[in-house]
Amino acid sequence: MKIHYVQHVDFEDPAFILSWAKDLGHTVTRSMLHAGDSLQNCPEFDLLVVMGGPMNVYEYEEYPWLKQEKTFIRNSILSGKYVLGICLGAQLIADALGAPVTRNRCKEIGWFPVLQSPAVANVKPFDALPKEYTALHWHGDTFAIPEGAVLQGSSLACVNQGFIYKERVIGLQYHIEATVQSVQGLIEKCESELVEDGFIHDKERIVLDTNVYAQNAQKLLTKLLQRWLA
């Protein structure tokens, strides 16, 4: 399989997805938008992975490549590609499909449970996952569920945690791809966001919980990808 990923900041790469792809011998290419890469000459791919970042989907003046990226995502969906968006990536997909992205009622940062929606109990690939699992969250915005998509899951702090659209497009607000290294990068670059709040854990708690939950999240992601792309 040919996988192409889009990255928005130097500290949010596909993390465990890269290890998974390498183990299976998939070809991986990338576009580093923050480093000036263009999507106009993107190589052929079967799966597009759109990563996270601290920017808002409408910050066009500071990040002018956002408009081009949304068009690229929309065209990838229309051409029948598999598309996976994580955090900002999921918000960009939702926006590209016409759903609004707004501020969540609170920031959600730390390892919190995701409750799967009954609507995906028998929907491939989420039928391979348990009804509840713990994943890393690091976001202040949220998306509406696009028309024609199905709600995937929720958390106490955020109603819309994921969706699947026409079997080939998945948006996940949470970081199921997280590794010890990727979480450390988030903490180093975004530690200023770790202010005392009900749904924001401190650095020590996040590090501890990463050691507890990350490996299981990676196993769930492997099941998800295998079932989805089989």
PDB file of all heavy atoms in Angstrom, residues 175-205:
ATOM      1  N   HIS A 175      -5.925  10.951  19.918  1.00  0.00           N
ATOM      2  CA  HIS A 175      -4.647  10.477  19.382  1.00  0.00           C
ATOM      3  C   HIS A 175      -4.451   8.994  19.700  1.00  0.00           C
ATOM      4  O   HIS A 175      -3.704   8.637  20.611  1.00  0.00           O
ATOM      5  CB  HIS A 175      -3.490  11.286  19.962  1.00  0.00           C
ATOM      6  CG  HIS A 175      -3.458  12.701  19.492  1.00  0.00           C
ATOM      7  ND1 HIS A 175      -2.771  13.105  18.364  1.00  0.00           N
ATOM      8  CD2 HIS A 175      -4.035  13.827  19.994  1.00  0.00           C
ATOM      9  CE1 HIS A 175      -2.916  14.412  18.191  1.00  0.00           C
ATOM     10  NE2 HIS A 175      -3.677  14.872  19.167  1.00  0.00           N
ATOM     11  N   ILE A 176      -5.052   8.146  18.918  1.00  0.00           N
ATOM     12  CA  ILE A 176      -4.890   6.712  19.128  1.00  0.00           C
ATOM     13  C   ILE A 176      -3.516   6.244  18.641  1.00  0.00           C
ATOM     14  O   ILE A 176      -3.085   5.127  18.928  1.00  0.00           O
ATOM     15  CB  ILE A 176      -6.028   5.939  18.416  1.00  0.00           C
ATOM     16  CG1 ILE A 176      -6.149   4.512  18.957  1.00  0.00           C
ATOM     17  CG2 ILE A 176      -5.853   5.977  16.908  1.00  0.00           C
ATOM     18  CD1 ILE A 176      -7.381   3.766  18.475  1.00  0.00           C
ATOM     19  N   GLU A 177      -2.798   7.107  17.914  1.00  0.00           N
ATOM     20  CA  GLU A 177      -1.472   6.772  17.386  1.00  0.00           C
ATOM     21  C   GLU A 177      -0.348   7.109  18.354  1.00  0.00           C
ATOM     22  O   GLU A 177       0.834   6.915  18.045  1.00  0.00           O
ATOM     23  CB  GLU A 177      -1.249   7.517  16.067  1.00  0.00           C
ATOM     24  CG  GLU A 177      -0.711   8.939  16.178  1.00  0.00           C
ATOM     25  CD  GLU A 177      -1.641   9.968  16.795  1.00  0.00           C
ATOM     26  OE1 GLU A 177      -2.798   9.620  17.121  1.00  0.00           O
ATOM     27  OE2 GLU A 177      -1.223  11.120  16.961  1.00  0.00           O
ATOM     28  N   ALA A 178      -0.685   7.614  19.532  1.00  0.00           N
ATOM     29  CA  ALA A 178       0.313   8.152  20.463  1.00  0.00           C
ATOM     30  C   ALA A 178       1.339   7.110  20.907  1.00  0.00           C
ATOM     31  O   ALA A 178       1.020   5.934  21.128  1.00  0.00           O
ATOM     32  CB  ALA A 178      -0.385   8.728  21.694  1.00  0.00           C
ATOM     33  N   THR A 179       2.587   7.576  21.025  1.00  0.00           N
ATOM     34  CA  THR A 179       3.676   6.790  21.599  1.00  0.00           C
ATOM     35  C   THR A 179       4.313   7.609  22.712  1.00  0.00           C
ATOM     36  O   THR A 179       4.033   8.800  22.864  1.00  0.00           O
ATOM     37  CB  THR A 179       4.749   6.466  20.547  1.00  0.00           C
ATOM     38  OG1 THR A 179       5.341   7.699  20.090  1.00  0.00           O
ATOM     39  CG2 THR A 179       4.157   5.721  19.352  1.00  0.00           C
ATOM     40  N   VAL A 180       5.194   6.976  23.474  1.00  0.00           N
ATOM     41  CA  VAL A 180       5.916   7.707  24.516  1.00  0.00           C
ATOM     42  C   VAL A 180       6.653   8.896  23.909  1.00  0.00           C
ATOM     43  O   VAL A 180       6.649  10.004  24.449  1.00  0.00           O
ATOM     44  CB  VAL A 180       6.898   6.769  25.249  1.00  0.00           C
ATOM     45  CG1 VAL A 180       7.811   7.562  26.184  1.00  0.00           C
ATOM     46  CG2 VAL A 180       6.134   5.706  26.033  1.00  0.00           C
ATOM     47  N   GLN A 181       7.263   8.686  22.752  1.00  0.00           N
ATOM     48  CA  GLN A 181       8.041   9.751  22.117  1.00  0.00           C
ATOM     49  C   GLN A 181       7.145  10.878  21.608  1.00  0.00           C
ATOM     50  O   GLN A 181       7.475  12.065  21.764  1.00  0.00           O
ATOM     51  CB  GLN A 181       8.867   9.175  20.960  1.00  0.00           C
ATOM     52  CG  GLN A 181       9.985   8.239  21.373  1.00  0.00           C
ATOM     53  CD  GLN A 181       9.490   6.842  21.764  1.00  0.00           C
ATOM     54  OE1 GLN A 181       8.363   6.441  21.432  1.00  0.00           O
ATOM     55  NE2 GLN A 181      10.329   6.100  22.471  1.00  0.00           N
ATOM     56  N   SER A 182       6.024  10.540  20.981  1.00  0.00           N
ATOM     57  CA  SER A 182       5.152  11.584  20.437  1.00  0.00           C
ATOM     58  C   SER A 182       4.510  12.403  21.549  1.00  0.00           C
ATOM     59  O   SER A 182       4.349  13.624  21.422  1.00  0.00           O
ATOM     60  CB  SER A 182       4.075  10.970  19.533  1.00  0.00           C
ATOM     61  OG  SER A 182       3.116  10.225  20.272  1.00  0.00           O
ATOM     62  N   VAL A 183       4.176  11.764  22.658  1.00  0.00           N
ATOM     63  CA  VAL A 183       3.602  12.487  23.780  1.00  0.00           C
ATOM     64  C   VAL A 183       4.627  13.425  24.404  1.00  0.00           C
ATOM     65  O   VAL A 183       4.313  14.559  24.786  1.00  0.00           O
ATOM     66  CB  VAL A 183       3.041  11.506  24.835  1.00  0.00           C
ATOM     67  CG1 VAL A 183       2.595  12.255  26.091  1.00  0.00           C
ATOM     68  CG2 VAL A 183       1.869  10.721  24.243  1.00  0.00           C
ATOM     69  N   GLN A 184       5.860  12.966  24.483  1.00  0.00           N
ATOM     70  CA  GLN A 184       6.911  13.823  25.012  1.00  0.00           C
ATOM     71  C   GLN A 184       7.073  15.077  24.152  1.00  0.00           C
ATOM     72  O   GLN A 184       7.278  16.178  24.658  1.00  0.00           O
ATOM     73  CB  GLN A 184       8.238  13.064  25.077  1.00  0.00           C
ATOM     74  CG  GLN A 184       9.357  13.824  25.788  1.00  0.00           C
ATOM     75  CD  GLN A 184       9.018  14.177  27.228  1.00  0.00           C
ATOM     76  OE1 GLN A 184       8.488  13.346  27.969  1.00  0.00           O
ATOM     77  NE2 GLN A 184       9.299  15.417  27.619  1.00  0.00           N
ATOM     78  N   GLY A 185       6.974  14.904  22.840  1.00  0.00           N
ATOM     79  CA  GLY A 185       7.055  16.046  21.943  1.00  0.00           C
ATOM     80  C   GLY A 185       5.930  17.032  22.156  1.00  0.00           C
ATOM     81  O   GLY A 185       6.139  18.259  22.151  1.00  0.00           O
ATOM     82  N   LEU A 186       4.722  16.529  22.348  1.00  0.00           N
ATOM     83  CA  LEU A 186       3.578  17.397  22.624  1.00  0.00           C
ATOM     84  C   LEU A 186       3.784  18.179  23.920  1.00  0.00           C
ATOM     85  O   LEU A 186       3.506  19.379  23.992  1.00  0.00           O
ATOM     86  CB  LEU A 186       2.300  16.563  22.716  1.00  0.00           C
ATOM     87  CG  LEU A 186       1.644  16.149  21.404  1.00  0.00           C
ATOM     88  CD1 LEU A 186       0.593  15.069  21.669  1.00  0.00           C
ATOM     89  CD2 LEU A 186       1.014  17.346  20.714  1.00  0.00           C
ATOM     90  N   ILE A 187       4.260  17.490  24.944  1.00  0.00           N
ATOM     91  CA  ILE A 187       4.479  18.154  26.229  1.00  0.00           C
ATOM     92  C   ILE A 187       5.543  19.231  26.109  1.00  0.00           C
ATOM     93  O   ILE A 187       5.369  20.358  26.612  1.00  0.00           O
ATOM     94  CB  ILE A 187       4.873  17.115  27.310  1.00  0.00           C
ATOM     95  CG1 ILE A 187       3.683  16.196  27.612  1.00  0.00           C
ATOM     96  CG2 ILE A 187       5.344  17.815  28.577  1.00  0.00           C
ATOM     97  CD1 ILE A 187       4.023  15.043  28.530  1.00  0.00           C
ATOM     98  N   GLU A 188       6.623  18.927  25.413  1.00  0.00           N
ATOM     99  CA  GLU A 188       7.716  19.898  25.281  1.00  0.00           C
ATOM    100  C   GLU A 188       7.270  21.160  24.552  1.00  0.00           C
ATOM    101  O   GLU A 188       7.652  22.271  24.922  1.00  0.00           O
ATOM    102  CB  GLU A 188       8.889  19.253  24.543  1.00  0.00           C
ATOM    103  CG  GLU A 188       9.631  18.210  25.368  1.00  0.00           C
ATOM    104  CD  GLU A 188      10.734  17.525  24.577  1.00  0.00           C
ATOM    105  OE1 GLU A 188      10.885  17.858  23.366  1.00  0.00           O
ATOM    106  OE2 GLU A 188      11.429  16.664  25.139  1.00  0.00           O
ATOM    107  N   LYS A 189       6.436  21.006  23.517  1.00  0.00           N
ATOM    108  CA  LYS A 189       6.042  22.147  22.699  1.00  0.00           C
ATOM    109  C   LYS A 189       4.775  22.847  23.194  1.00  0.00           C
ATOM    110  O   LYS A 189       4.572  24.033  22.888  1.00  0.00           O
ATOM    111  CB  LYS A 189       5.819  21.691  21.255  1.00  0.00           C
ATOM    112  CG  LYS A 189       7.058  21.098  20.593  1.00  0.00           C
ATOM    113  CD  LYS A 189       8.116  22.153  20.345  1.00  0.00           C
ATOM    114  CE  LYS A 189       9.280  21.573  19.561  1.00  0.00           C
ATOM    115  NZ  LYS A 189      10.307  22.592  19.238  1.00  0.00           N
ATOM    116  N   CYS A 190       3.933  22.133  23.929  1.00  0.00           N
ATOM    117  CA  CYS A 190       2.616  22.683  24.289  1.00  0.00           C
ATOM    118  C   CYS A 190       2.361  22.667  25.792  1.00  0.00           C
ATOM    119  O   CYS A 190       1.207  22.686  26.232  1.00  0.00           O
ATOM    120  CB  CYS A 190       1.517  21.903  23.577  1.00  0.00           C
ATOM    121  SG  CYS A 190       1.672  21.851  21.783  1.00  0.00           S
ATOM    122  N   GLU A 191       3.409  22.626  26.583  1.00  0.00           N
ATOM    123  CA  GLU A 191       3.246  22.537  28.038  1.00  0.00           C
ATOM    124  C   GLU A 191       2.479  23.720  28.608  1.00  0.00           C
ATOM    125  O   GLU A 191       1.824  23.604  29.656  1.00  0.00           O
ATOM    126  CB  GLU A 191       4.609  22.419  28.706  1.00  0.00           C
ATOM    127  CG  GLU A 191       4.529  22.126  30.203  1.00  0.00           C
ATOM    128  CD  GLU A 191       5.888  21.854  30.827  1.00  0.00           C
ATOM    129  OE1 GLU A 191       6.892  21.779  30.084  1.00  0.00           O
ATOM    130  OE2 GLU A 191       5.937  21.706  32.064  1.00  0.00           O
ATOM    131  N   SER A 192       2.512  24.868  27.933  1.00  0.00           N
ATOM    132  CA  SER A 192       1.806  26.057  28.432  1.00  0.00           C
ATOM    133  C   SER A 192       0.295  25.845  28.498  1.00  0.00           C
ATOM    134  O   SER A 192      -0.411  26.575  29.209  1.00  0.00           O
ATOM    135  CB  SER A 192       2.110  27.264  27.535  1.00  0.00           C
ATOM    136  OG  SER A 192       1.671  27.035  26.201  1.00  0.00           O
ATOM    137  N   GLU A 193      -0.210  24.866  27.779  1.00  0.00           N
ATOM    138  CA  GLU A 193      -1.649  24.576  27.806  1.00  0.00           C
ATOM    139  C   GLU A 193      -2.064  23.765  29.033  1.00  0.00           C
ATOM    140  O   GLU A 193      -3.263  23.638  29.306  1.00  0.00           O
ATOM    141  CB  GLU A 193      -2.059  23.809  26.550  1.00  0.00           C
ATOM    142  CG  GLU A 193      -1.920  24.578  25.258  1.00  0.00           C
ATOM    143  CD  GLU A 193      -2.508  23.809  24.089  1.00  0.00           C
ATOM    144  OE1 GLU A 193      -3.736  23.625  24.050  1.00  0.00           O
ATOM    145  OE2 GLU A 193      -1.716  23.361  23.231  1.00  0.00           O
ATOM    146  N   LEU A 194      -1.107  23.238  29.757  1.00  0.00           N
ATOM    147  CA  LEU A 194      -1.426  22.347  30.873  1.00  0.00           C
ATOM    148  C   LEU A 194      -1.724  23.157  32.137  1.00  0.00           C
ATOM    149  O   LEU A 194      -1.005  23.110  33.126  1.00  0.00           O
ATOM    150  CB  LEU A 194      -0.282  21.359  31.103  1.00  0.00           C
ATOM    151  CG  LEU A 194       0.085  20.494  29.892  1.00  0.00           C
ATOM    152  CD1 LEU A 194       1.215  19.543  30.236  1.00  0.00           C
ATOM    153  CD2 LEU A 194      -1.134  19.729  29.392  1.00  0.00           C
ATOM    154  N   VAL A 195      -2.832  23.883  32.086  1.00  0.00           N
ATOM    155  CA  VAL A 195      -3.289  24.673  33.232  1.00  0.00           C
ATOM    156  C   VAL A 195      -4.332  23.870  34.000  1.00  0.00           C
ATOM    157  O   VAL A 195      -5.005  23.003  33.445  1.00  0.00           O
ATOM    158  CB  VAL A 195      -3.876  26.017  32.773  1.00  0.00           C
ATOM    159  CG1 VAL A 195      -2.805  26.833  32.077  1.00  0.00           C
ATOM    160  CG2 VAL A 195      -5.066  25.807  31.833  1.00  0.00           C
ATOM    161  N   GLU A 196      -4.467  24.154  35.268  1.00  0.00           N
ATOM    162  CA  GLU A 196      -5.363  23.385  36.119  1.00  0.00           C
ATOM    163  C   GLU A 196      -6.805  23.510  35.645  1.00  0.00           C
ATOM    164  O   GLU A 196      -7.350  24.602  35.525  1.00  0.00           O
ATOM    165  CB  GLU A 196      -5.246  23.864  37.565  1.00  0.00           C
ATOM    166  CG  GLU A 196      -6.043  23.025  38.545  1.00  0.00           C
ATOM    167  CD  GLU A 196      -5.820  23.435  39.989  1.00  0.00           C
ATOM    168  OE1 GLU A 196      -4.934  24.277  40.211  1.00  0.00           O
ATOM    169  OE2 GLU A 196      -6.522  22.916  40.865  1.00  0.00           O
ATOM    170  N   ASP A 197      -7.422  22.368  35.368  1.00  0.00           N
ATOM    171  CA  ASP A 197      -8.802  22.335  34.889  1.00  0.00           C
ATOM    172  C   ASP A 197      -9.307  20.903  35.012  1.00  0.00           C
ATOM    173  O   ASP A 197      -8.524  19.957  35.063  1.00  0.00           O
ATOM    174  CB  ASP A 197      -8.878  22.813  33.433  1.00  0.00           C
ATOM    175  CG  ASP A 197     -10.307  22.969  32.948  1.00  0.00           C
ATOM    176  OD1 ASP A 197     -10.915  24.004  33.268  1.00  0.00           O
ATOM    177  OD2 ASP A 197     -10.802  22.063  32.271  1.00  0.00           O
ATOM    178  N   GLY A 198     -10.618  20.750  34.996  1.00  0.00           N
ATOM    179  CA  GLY A 198     -11.201  19.431  35.196  1.00  0.00           C
ATOM    180  C   GLY A 198     -10.827  18.424  34.135  1.00  0.00           C
ATOM    181  O   GLY A 198     -10.719  17.228  34.409  1.00  0.00           O
ATOM    182  N   PHE A 199     -10.640  18.878  32.891  1.00  0.00           N
ATOM    183  CA  PHE A 199     -10.319  17.959  31.805  1.00  0.00           C
ATOM    184  C   PHE A 199      -8.948  18.241  31.209  1.00  0.00           C
ATOM    185  O   PHE A 199      -8.698  17.962  30.039  1.00  0.00           O
ATOM    186  CB  PHE A 199     -11.400  18.031  30.717  1.00  0.00           C
ATOM    187  CG  PHE A 199     -12.707  17.429  31.154  1.00  0.00           C
ATOM    188  CD1 PHE A 199     -13.749  18.243  31.571  1.00  0.00           C
ATOM    189  CD2 PHE A 199     -12.884  16.056  31.173  1.00  0.00           C
ATOM    190  CE1 PHE A 199     -14.960  17.695  31.973  1.00  0.00           C
ATOM    191  CE2 PHE A 199     -14.082  15.490  31.588  1.00  0.00           C
ATOM    192  CZ  PHE A 199     -15.125  16.311  31.987  1.00  0.00           C
ATOM    193  N   ILE A 200      -8.058  18.805  32.025  1.00  0.00           N
ATOM    194  CA  ILE A 200      -6.666  18.985  31.624  1.00  0.00           C
ATOM    195  C   ILE A 200      -5.778  18.379  32.701  1.00  0.00           C
ATOM    196  O   ILE A 200      -5.769  18.844  33.841  1.00  0.00           O
ATOM    197  CB  ILE A 200      -6.311  20.471  31.442  1.00  0.00           C
ATOM    198  CG1 ILE A 200      -7.179  21.111  30.339  1.00  0.00           C
ATOM    199  CG2 ILE A 200      -4.830  20.616  31.084  1.00  0.00           C
ATOM    200  CD1 ILE A 200      -6.903  22.584  30.125  1.00  0.00           C
ATOM    201  N   HIS A 201      -5.062  17.343  32.343  1.00  0.00           N
ATOM    202  CA  HIS A 201      -4.152  16.710  33.292  1.00  0.00           C
ATOM    203  C   HIS A 201      -2.799  17.413  33.284  1.00  0.00           C
ATOM    204  O   HIS A 201      -2.409  18.030  32.288  1.00  0.00           O
ATOM    205  CB  HIS A 201      -3.962  15.236  32.940  1.00  0.00           C
ATOM    206  CG  HIS A 201      -5.173  14.401  33.212  1.00  0.00           C
ATOM    207  ND1 HIS A 201      -5.371  13.161  32.648  1.00  0.00           N
ATOM    208  CD2 HIS A 201      -6.269  14.637  33.993  1.00  0.00           C
ATOM    209  CE1 HIS A 201      -6.527  12.657  33.068  1.00  0.00           C
ATOM    210  NE2 HIS A 201      -7.085  13.527  33.873  1.00  0.00           N
ATOM    211  N   ASP A 202      -2.082  17.311  34.389  1.00  0.00           N
ATOM    212  CA  ASP A 202      -0.747  17.917  34.439  1.00  0.00           C
ATOM    213  C   ASP A 202       0.266  17.010  33.741  1.00  0.00           C
ATOM    214  O   ASP A 202      -0.025  15.873  33.368  1.00  0.00           O
ATOM    215  CB  ASP A 202      -0.333  18.223  35.878  1.00  0.00           C
ATOM    216  CG  ASP A 202      -0.271  16.985  36.773  1.00  0.00           C
ATOM    217  OD1 ASP A 202       0.038  15.878  36.272  1.00  0.00           O
ATOM    218  OD2 ASP A 202      -0.527  17.112  37.986  1.00  0.00           O
ATOM    219  N   LYS A 203       1.459  17.541  33.559  1.00  0.00           N
ATOM    220  CA  LYS A 203       2.499  16.830  32.808  1.00  0.00           C
ATOM    221  C   LYS A 203       2.815  15.479  33.423  1.00  0.00           C
ATOM    222  O   LYS A 203       2.929  14.469  32.710  1.00  0.00           O
ATOM    223  CB  LYS A 203       3.760  17.696  32.750  1.00  0.00           C
ATOM    224  CG  LYS A 203       4.943  17.027  32.072  1.00  0.00           C
ATOM    225  CD  LYS A 203       6.122  17.974  31.929  1.00  0.00           C
ATOM    226  CE  LYS A 203       6.718  18.356  33.261  1.00  0.00           C
ATOM    227  NZ  LYS A 203       7.944  19.186  33.108  1.00  0.00           N
ATOM    228  N   GLU A 204       2.948  15.434  34.733  1.00  0.00           N
ATOM    229  CA  GLU A 204       3.317  14.186  35.402  1.00  0.00           C
ATOM    230  C   GLU A 204       2.248  13.125  35.184  1.00  0.00           C
ATOM    231  O   GLU A 204       2.562  11.947  34.950  1.00  0.00           O
ATOM    232  CB  GLU A 204       3.534  14.437  36.891  1.00  0.00           C
ATOM    233  CG  GLU A 204       4.774  15.254  37.222  1.00  0.00           C
ATOM    234  CD  GLU A 204       4.640  16.730  36.883  1.00  0.00           C
ATOM    235  OE1 GLU A 204       3.489  17.219  36.745  1.00  0.00           O
ATOM    236  OE2 GLU A 204       5.673  17.410  36.754  1.00  0.00           O
ATOM    237  N   ARG A 205       0.979  13.535  35.257  1.00  0.00           N
ATOM    238  CA  ARG A 205      -0.114  12.582  35.060  1.00  0.00           C
ATOM    239  C   ARG A 205      -0.127  12.064  33.619  1.00  0.00           C
ATOM    240  O   ARG A 205      -0.338  10.859  33.380  1.00  0.00           O
ATOM    241  CB  ARG A 205      -1.448  13.274  35.389  1.00  0.00           C
ATOM    242  CG  ARG A 205      -2.697  12.460  35.044  1.00  0.00           C
ATOM    243  CD  ARG A 205      -2.925  11.298  35.989  1.00  0.00           C
ATOM    244  NE  ARG A 205      -4.127  10.572  35.658  1.00  0.00           N
ATOM    245  CZ  ARG A 205      -5.368  10.904  36.062  1.00  0.00           C
ATOM    246  NH1 ARG A 205      -5.554  11.976  36.834  1.00  0.00           N
ATOM    247  NH2 ARG A 205      -6.414  10.177  35.720  1.00  0.00           N
TER     248      ARG A 205
END
